[in-house]
Amino acid sequence: LTHYRQAAFAQVSVSSAEDMKVKEHAIQSLVKLLAKLHRGDELSNLLSELRPFFEVIPKAKTAKYVRLIIESLGEVPNTLDRQIALCEDSITWCREQKRTFLRHRIQSRLASLLFEKRDYTGSLVLIGQLMRELRKLDDKPLILEVQLTESRVQHALRNIPKAKASLTSARTVANAVYCPPQLQAAIDIQSGVLSAEERDYRTAFSYFYEAFEAYSSLNEASLGVRALQYMLLCKIMNN
């Protein structure tokens, strides 16, 4: 841990490709190790400590590291509030640095975290603000993610018509752009849930089966088991 930290914060020349490669590898290894050791506080602080470095490297790499740290913090148990605070702090930094692309992605993550916390009003307000900006930029991949989150929030609020409308919009976008397998599986899960709400268990089963196959191929065991459980419930409800 000490070795990785020293390498991650070593003063190197940005023009030296070899030195930068070593530093970047150290940062990634440090993040993964902190997550494995469940050191949430240190992960949160790491993002702030690395900001001077982020200001001198390409924006695409900055986005990669910021998202890596936020997602790694999500692997640490009982850190939901800390994740939300980290996202809010990062959004403020992005505004100051005029990093719109990264800000939008962190806001999408924040909307999902607020949903997990059951702050449905806060999540919907953020989604509304974000969607207005994304439609102007026509950022279809992120629109897809945000609409899926919106569908989940509306379903949690028992507003099934709006949940279906958001999901339909997400599926339309998914047909127009490349949709990563894990995101497509999440769409299938939500489609199955809403079909089950309408007691169309046969259709719901087919969606859950598609998700189960996708998660199996991605080695996502816990999500695959969840899809399998939904499949079994559909079989029970369908006699």
Side-chain angles (χ1 to χ4, degrees):
L1 186 63
T2 303
H3 170 73
Y4 286 139
R5 182 172 286 278
Q6 288 175 344
F9 289 96
Q11 296 295 325
V12 299
S13 172
V14 181
S15 59
S16 174
E18 188 62 32
D19 288 348
M20 288 295 290
K21 186 176 180 180
V22 171
K23 185 179 179 74
E24 290 169 8
H25 175 72
I27 291 172
Q28 293 180 48
S29 299
L30 179 60
V31 170
K32 291 175 183 177
L33 184 56
L34 288 174
K36 188 176 180 179
L37 295 173
H38 293 173
R39 297 193 181 182
D41 288 334
E42 291 183 48
L43 266 176
S44 299
N45 294 334
L46 182 63
L47 190 55
S48 300
E49 292 168 352
L50 287 172
R51 281 175 184 166
F53 176 62
F54 292 156
E55 293 177 9
V56 298
I57 62 173
K59 290 184 177 181
K61 284 191 176 181
T62 298
K64 173 185 172 182
Y65 293 129
V66 171
R67 295 176 71 181
L68 173 65
I69 292 172
I70 292 174
E71 288 169 8
S72 296
L73 182 58
E75 298 173 11
V76 181
N78 304 316
T79 58
L80 184 57
D81 288 335
R82 190 179 289 123
Q83 290 177 65
I84 290 172
L86 185 59
C87 284
E88 290 173 339
D89 180 59
S90 298
I91 289 168
T92 300
W93 179 79
C94 287
R95 290 187 191 278
E96 293 171 353
Q97 296 292 320
K98 296 181 171 57
R99 300 189 181 225
T100 305
F101 178 88
L102 177 58
R103 172 171 61 83
H104 286 162
R105 273 138 191 84
I106 299 174
Q107 285 178 310
S108 175
R109 174 74 171 177
L110 178 57
S112 181
L113 291 171
L114 291 173
F115 163 67
E116 287 182 37
K117 194 182 178 183
R118 299 188 180 183
D119 182 1
Y120 303 133
T121 301
S123 183
L124 285 177
V125 169
L126 180 57
I127 286 171
Q129 296 170 349
L130 184 54
M131 284 298 294
R132 282 193 290 273
E133 292 188 45
L134 294 178
R135 287 194 176 104
K136 290 178 183 178
L137 297 171
D138 198 29
D139 189 343
K140 286 186 172 64
L142 193 54
I143 287 174
L144 169 57
E145 291 182 25
V146 175
Q147 287 179 325
L148 178 58
T149 301
E150 183 177 29
S151 178
R152 288 168 171 163
V153 175
Q154 294 291 2
H155 174 250
L157 291 170
R158 309 305 301 160
N159 192 333
I160 305 302
K162 285 190 176 181
K164 287 179 63 180
S166 296
L167 181 62
T168 299
S169 298
R171 295 184 71 87
T172 301
V173 175
N175 290 330
V177 298
Y178 170 72
C179 183
Q182 189 158 9
L183 184 55
Q184 182 60 59
I187 291 173
D188 288 334
I189 286 286
Q190 184 67 4
S191 299
V193 168
L194 294 183
S195 294
E197 286 283 3
E198 297 181 325
R199 301 190 178 186
D200 185 357
Y201 301 116
R202 191 179 300 276
T203 301
F205 179 89
S206 66
Y207 280 126
F208 293 140
Y209 181 75
E210 290 292 331
F212 173 73
E213 283 200 319
Y215 287 135
S216 296
S217 65
L218 293 167
N219 293 320
E220 293 280 4
S222 60
L223 294 173
V225 168
R226 177 185 168 206
L228 180 59
Q229 290 171 333
Y230 286 163
M231 288 163 59
L232 292 173
L233 284 171
C234 286
K235 282 294 186 183
I236 292 170
M237 296 304 293
N238 217 21
N239 296 318

